[in-house]
Amino acid sequence: MLSQSQLLQLFKETRKDSESICSYLETEDYVVQPIVDVSPPKWHLGHTTWFFEEFVLKKFAKNHKLFDENTAFVFNSYYESVGEKVVRTDRGNLSRPTVAWIYKFRDYVTKAIIELLENETLSTEALEVLEIGCHHEKQHQELLYTDIKYILGNNPLMPGYNQQFEENPIQNFEREWINISEGVYEIGHTSDDFSYDNELGAHKTYLQEYTISNKLVTNAEYLEFVQAGGYQDVLLWHAEAWDWVNTNNISTPFYWHKIDNVWHQYTLKGLVKLDPDAPVTHISYYEAFAYAQWKGMRLPTEQEWEIAQKDFEWGSRWEWTESSYAPYPDYQKADGALGEYNGKFMVNQKVLRGASVATSSKHSRYTYRNFFHPQLRWQFTGFRLVK
Amino acid sequence: MLSQSQLLQLFKETRKDSESICSYLETEDYVVQPIVDVSPPKWHLGHTTWFFEEFVLKKFAKNHKLFDENTAFVFNSYYESVGEKVVRTDRGNLSRPTVAWIYKFRDYVTKAIIELLENETLSTEALEVLEIGCHHEKQHQELLYTDIKYILGNNPLMPGYNQQFEENPIQNFEREWINISEGVYEIGHTSDDFSYDNELGAHKTYLQEYTISNKLVTNAEYLEFVQAGGYQDVLLWHAEAWDWVNTNNISTPFYWHKIDNVWHQYTLKGLVKLDPDAPVTHISYYEAFAYAQWKGMRLPTEQEWEIAQKDFEWGSRWEWTESSYAPYPDYQKADGALGEYNGKFMVNQKVLRGASVATSSKHSRYTYRNFFHPQLRWQFTGFRLVK
Amino acid sequence: MLSQSQLLQLFKETRKDSESICSYLETEDYVVQPIVDVSPPKWHLGHTTWFFEEFVLKKFAKNHKLFDENTAFVFNSYYESVGEKVVRTDRGNLSRPTVAWIYKFRDYVTKAIIELLENETLSTEALEVLEIGCHHEKQHQELLYTDIKYILGNNPLMPGYNQQFEENPIQNFEREWINISEGVYEIGHTSDDFSYDNELGAHKTYLQEYTISNKLVTNAEYLEFVQAGGYQDVLLWHAEAWDWVNTNNISTPFYWHKIDNVWHQYTLKGLVKLDPDAPVTHISYYEAFAYAQWKGMRLPTEQEWEIAQKDFEWGSRWEWTESSYAPYPDYQKADGALGEYNGKFMVNQKVLRGASVATSSKHSRYTYRNFFHPQLRWQFTGFRLVK
Amino acid sequence: MLSQSQLLQLFKETRKDSESICSYLETEDYVVQPIVDVSPPKWHLGHTTWFFEEFVLKKFAKNHKLFDENTAFVFNSYYESVGEKVVRTDRGNLSRPTVAWIYKFRDYVTKAIIELLENETLSTEALEVLEIGCHHEKQHQELLYTDIKYILGNNPLMPGYNQQFEENPIQNFEREWINISEGVYEIGHTSDDFSYDNELGAHKTYLQEYTISNKLVTNAEYLEFVQAGGYQDVLLWHAEAWDWVNTNNISTPFYWHKIDNVWHQYTLKGLVKLDPDAPVTHISYYEAFAYAQWKGMRLPTEQEWEIAQKDFEWGSRWEWTESSYAPYPDYQKADGALGEYNGKFMVNQKVLRGASVATSSKHSRYTYRNFFHPQLRWQFTGFRLVK
């Protein structure tokens, strides 16, 4: 648990980071929502601010005057129990409130929180919600990167975001296969550091013996699968995946483009040649699974990943696992609206482990459980194999 | 046919008008597309400019250097024969090119056309296309008003556009019924003034005797229909209309809101009380037809409207007619891409006659044939009755 | 107006004809509904019977005992004002009531009507509804043929319906162009014979001079259009048609199949070679229009067709016209549920004139106005050209 | 592994059972497919027969002459790798082949298999496929019951299937809570009896301590949840479940009807009063989960169920578990088309354990893993709770 002064520091950094990420945008880039999974950047900025006003200032700051009673509700997202909200698909239809308004809203709330932290002694409950608010904003920072990438990368002009942003990490080490022996292991978050409720409830699990790669599958390796006709071989795919491939004419990872017979990928720098040694990214669980089938291997479960992770480098790609997102034994969701944070998504999603180039500092740990629907590709998703 | 100097004048005015209309917008308002029928204002500004560069400068201006070869194609709309285009539904997903870029594009093309008109003697063909370009832009000015109204009026904050914009005209005269006797009449555009190809081919038509109102149906009159349960009486509606009413839960004209039991309407000034004496507007053909059924009357055909129009005031509402949009006898569509202007829409649409508060100056005439699908309501549509 | 004994004769013939048409079916063929436009044959048999019980026996037969109070409602179709009904798309999901039940229902109602006509002197109102009921059933006989053709012709086994059914008429005469001079003509039904309300209201119309073919467009002629790339040339098509062609991958008339490089068509006999001299059939209005554009000609209006029809053979194909389905001047729809018969379809449909090989005897006349949405193809639709 | 003569017996019984189930149907009931999850009974009869001809007779019976080379392919289901198939949603559009044809096809194939088993000594491979074929048909018998229930129970006439079919089992014993202690347990199929590939790979698993009910949740208990507003409390539901509830207006288990204020349920006998003591059935995983949330309990995992099952009666309802359907460690799918049997469904589905009143004799065992999407309700699904 952070002290109040540590929390003040975390809060200031976090708020600043969101704004730094957006500093490369044009006003127009803040507004659009090309698909339902992507939110407009201005919505992320407003929503994370609304969270602090709704759950911290309203409850714990005496005499706090709301910035704008009639407007902030448009930044409620999925908290069904908190009242009126704008339908998710409509976020990109909202030209108002403007970007300028949102920055004023941010400043107002940021200052009010800082004042609170500097001048009042807060209860543990207040500090906990504030810490969640910071991590919540860090999650949205990750989405800011991937949503901006989608907005710019699906624009027919394919403009770059930032010429200095290097998203393809180097894995300049040899592939090795790490062997883990059969037995009972312990899983879950145990330290005093921050975690979400879905990581808690450390518990024992039995693992069979397995062998896991220290290295992510690379673009060059995945390209072999593409060229070997992997996307055309029904026997490699789940039934739902096969429908998805055919309905959407999927034949490569997302953001790959073949131009004049040369493979390119859109990155946050703009369009560049495909880097053969970089880990493949922007693939669905379905594709990771089909590739593994093709190699006669499989994906790790999240438990296998957690036990083996200390022996490999990770953090540049979110890694798909075979595990469906489910509650740990004795999972307890929080009371009230914050109870909507995790538990209600525990169906039809796959767990991802690790972190990615879009992950904020202080926001990755080996017990972290991310989750997405198996067909989604706009995150920096990759995978490693188990024999 | 306008002289070259008259055309220069028309061109300058027209270009300036589009920019005046947009001068009340925030940058964000230029970007969004809440429904497929609405285009982002920046798209209108870019598209009308693209039209001049594509059809005038490219063909008739020696040595014209394109403003930006790689970008302008995003402003091609429906001209399938001209090449690549952005799918209509995606217009609201494009944050780039920016609004600033578009204004530069406009200036560049505006200056090039002015230079051309001032310094070269243009062929009749070139002058004709230029004149079409001006009227094309005037059509888009009409859409700018109605699309802006949709964007702001469907925002949960319902901001006003311009406090000075009066959209509800006064009809301070008594209702009278104009009688037109049976016989052969002539229809269609015959003067030398500008018209579209769909108005040409003046021809004879036989009209039965009819009696037509000099006044549009008012909000107060339409409200009686609403309160009498008109939207719940299946026998008043077309089969497709009944599906539309029920699927979309339609129970009033668009932009009507009942707040604390008082009827309001959203206007370009913002939300105001419903004006009982103003003509009802933002209704579909389906609703106009159902109202007429309820009154035991009918809508005029476009021929009846055209013959009777000299005896009534019009121009504040586009008026639905009973006529389906179809070619006049001997209709000839233009060769090439400009042939796509009108003819290809001649199915499943209803003709509207008149003009509206959103219609640009010098853009209305009694032979003008506007057309929309029967369920659409975002235009300033109203109607008058025939006994 | 028919006498009561003539009506008895008409009624008996009509009832028998429906059953003769179905005599070639297997029980299973009566049940299915592969697309929403097609109804299961058993539904047609039940619905036409329900019509007589609902509108004749219930109202005009003293002491009539309903065959089955709890079941007949499933055969209500679109008469929204009569009460509960089964959603149209669900007709093919109803295994009950069985075919055997429906034949018993038919017998019961047929006998009751015969008894009524033989033993009672009926009012004019009753006789009129009975006559409408007979013509209503004849309309459904037409649909029985086309719906059976759809059911069998879209089955992967493509079974024939009846080896003796010759659907391709011979047009063994030369093409001639009939010239009609400009002037005022009279249109509409005037005799005492039966007609629907939409044909009444004979009235004057002004026609420009025109020249119309005495012959329908043939398969051989249409095949030239197919082979010349007509389905790939955007400039020939309405905008909505172009979407329809591309969304549905349309490249030939319906029921055409190229097998081992030879063109075949599915007919009610089964699959046969395409007959080059037969009129093309099973095409949409969109295709007829595009063909006419390609030839530099056009389709006739319904008025042009009606005035010229005495000079050509017709009756083997329903012929698309350029006219949208609209009320004649002074059109009055009937009171009550029968008023739902025609008027409520007068939007977004095109008029067809003539009759087809599926048309029942005594059910064609030159003033008859059929109508379908412009994309539909499962009727025996063809067309002729106007220069 | 069964001997050849045991297998002959199993085969004969199995084939006869399918026909007994269908003996209560009218011909029309065999044909329809009201929703995509339901297949027409005639399709089940044909498909199970096709399976034996395709995978047994074609491969292992010398000189087998196919019953009908051109027709049987319509009974291929999901075996993408075996060639042409009819799209699943179109099964209900096929009036041909007829029911009579299918019974001939069945007789022909049944006799050929019996002859093979009586006269030839078959290889282990052949015997294995035959045994799978029998269990495959038993699975379809289960579907026959539930699909027939759907077909009749969603018909507006709600006819009964068989007045003697008792689907509501009696649980006349007290609720007790079985405690299982923490530790390593073994899971999976180990005997020589038949099982599917997804049950194999017996392996160790670690279970935390838990307490599980010996009794299924009853209608009376579930009714309390309905009446307490469970379907209106967002906090009890997964996010996707909440959408499903609202989009489909779900407010009770499937087949429940409130008639004159009395709760009824449609059963295979027809409509009867709701039995308060019978286990609740025809509920989705979503509903089972929400009920458990409301009680402050949870569903068992499939491992917990398997370890505890020896202490409770089961077999009248398929029981939802919390487990997502996933491969056991070292799961190996079969080569070729039979490899499509299970593995390709291992995403987005929940495991059910137990068996139901529709389960065929010799088709239930405690290691059996059934699976369905979490929203499906047409199976006899129930659940028990874990504290």
Side-chain angles (χ1 to χ4, degrees), chain C residues 326-362:
Chain C
Y328 279 172
D330 300 319
Y331 169 69
Q332 297 295 339
K333 70 177 183 185
D335 287 335
L338 288 176
E340 293 193 49
Y341 208 98
N342 271 308
K344 73 179 182 181
F345 298 113
M346 289 178 174
V347 71
N348 287 347
Q349 314 227 28
K350 285 289 186 180
V351 173
L352 298 104
R353 288 301 192 98
S356 88
V357 292
T359 307
S360 171
S361 67
K362 302 182 189 160

Side-chain angles (χ1 to χ4, degrees), chain B residues 80-81 184 203-206 208 234-235 237-240 242 285-286 293 322 324 329 333 340 343-348 373-374, chain C residues 80-81 184 203-206 208 234-235 237-240 242 285-286 293 324 327 329 333 340 343-348 373-374:
Chain B
E80 302 266 355
S81 48
V184 174
H203 61 281
K204 291 181 184 148
T205 194
Y206 195 94
Q208 323 299 316
V234 59
L235 291 175
W237 299 82
H238 288 103
E240 295 183 16
W242 189 244
Y285 162 78
Y286 292 143
Q293 286 284 106
E322 186 52 53
S324 295
K333 69 178 184 185
E340 294 193 47
K344 74 177 181 181
F345 298 113
M346 290 178 173
V347 71
N348 287 348
H373 284 103
Chain C
E80 302 266 356
S81 49
V184 174
H203 60 282
K204 291 181 183 149
T205 195
Y206 195 94
Q208 324 298 315
V234 60
L235 290 176
W237 299 82
H238 288 104
E240 296 184 15
W242 188 244
Y285 162 78
Y286 292 144
Q293 287 282 105
S324 294
K333 70 177 183 185
E340 293 193 49
K344 73 179 182 181
F345 298 113
M346 289 178 174
V347 71
N348 287 347
H373 284 103

Side-chain angles (χ1 to χ4, degrees), chain B residues 5 9 32 47 57 92 97-98 109 117 150 165-166 174 188 197 203 217 243 251 268 286 311 341-343 346 355 384:
Chain B
S5 66
Q9 192 53 35
V32 302
H47 168 69
L57 294 174
T98 62
V109 168
L117 278 164
Y150 194 98
F165 193 95
E166 181 53 74
E174 290 302 300
D197 57 5
H203 61 281
V217 172
D243 282 350
S251 60
L268 285 163
Y286 292 143
D311 293 328
Y341 207 98
N342 271 307
M346 290 178 173
R384 73 180 70 231

Side-chain angles (χ1 to χ4, degrees), chain A residues 153-369:
Chain A
N154 287 278
N155 187 301
L157 308 175
M158 287 200 219
Y161 158 74
N162 172 1
Q163 294 307 320
Q164 268 59 56
F165 193 95
E166 181 53 74
E167 70 175 50
N168 277 338
I170 303 166
Q171 296 187 102
N172 52 2
F173 47 85
E174 290 303 299
R175 164 147 297 127
E176 281 168 24
W177 293 92
I178 302 159
N179 190 266
I180 309 282
S181 55
E182 183 175 30
V184 174
Y185 291 88
E186 187 157 321
I187 293 294
H189 187 85
T190 50
S191 82
D192 281 347
D193 295 347
F194 179 81
S195 78
Y196 286 117
D197 58 4
N198 63 359
E199 305 163 51
L200 295 174
H203 61 282
K204 292 183 185 146
T205 194
Y206 195 95
L207 300 182
Q208 324 298 317
E209 187 186 4
Y210 65 105
T211 304
I212 190 167
S213 173
N214 69 331
K215 206 170 164 176
L216 292 166
V217 171
T218 65
N219 282 327
E221 290 166 331
Y222 197 86
L223 185 55
E224 285 179 48
F225 169 73
V226 172
Q227 289 171 338
Y231 283 89
Q232 288 80 51
D233 182 356
V234 60
L235 290 175
L236 301 174
W237 298 81
H238 286 104
E240 295 183 15
W242 188 245
D243 283 350
W244 172 80
V245 162
N246 288 290
T247 303
N248 300 289
N249 294 312
I250 308 289
S251 60
T252 66
F254 203 48
Y255 294 122
W256 282 27
H257 300 272
K258 202 173 193 173
I259 299 169
D260 295 337
N261 234 25
V262 178
W263 285 104
H264 289 70
Q265 60 178 150
Y266 176 79
T267 69
L268 284 164
K269 282 181 176 176
L271 200 66
V272 301
K273 281 196 188 164
L274 190 69
D275 177 348
D277 299 325
V280 67
T281 196
H282 297 296
I283 58 160
S284 63
Y285 162 79
Y286 292 144
E287 290 162 291
F289 176 88
Y291 178 88
Q293 286 283 106
W294 182 67
K295 296 293 281 186
M297 301 187 194
R298 63 175 177 84
L299 305 183
T301 64
E302 62 171 322
Q303 289 80 13
E304 289 170 339
W305 189 95
E306 185 167 325
I307 295 307
Q309 58 75 31
K310 64 183 178 304
D311 293 330
F312 41 75
E313 290 183 19
W314 55 267
S316 68
R317 292 290 182 268
W318 280 105
E319 307 183 25
W320 286 109
T321 72
E322 186 51 53
S323 300
S324 294
Y325 184 42
Y328 279 173
D330 299 319
Y331 168 70
Q332 298 294 340
K333 66 178 190 186
D335 288 335
L338 287 177
E340 295 193 47
Y341 207 99
N342 272 307
K344 72 178 183 181
F345 299 113
M346 289 178 173
V347 71
N348 287 346
Q349 314 227 29
K350 287 288 186 183
V351 172
L352 298 105
R353 289 299 193 100
S356 86
V357 292
T359 307
S360 173
S361 67
K362 302 182 190 164
H363 193 62
S364 64
R365 55 193 171 274
Y366 68 86
T367 59
Y368 196 104
R369 308 173 75 201

Side-chain angles (χ1 to χ4, degrees), chain C residues 10-28:
Chain C
L10 178 69
F11 175 77
K12 284 178 175 173
E13 275 172 30
T14 303
R15 297 293 284 175
K16 205 171 151 193
D17 286 351
S18 299
E19 291 158 24
S20 299
I21 292 169
C22 292
S23 65
Y24 299 93
L25 301 181
E26 301 285 353
T27 301
E28 293 87 341

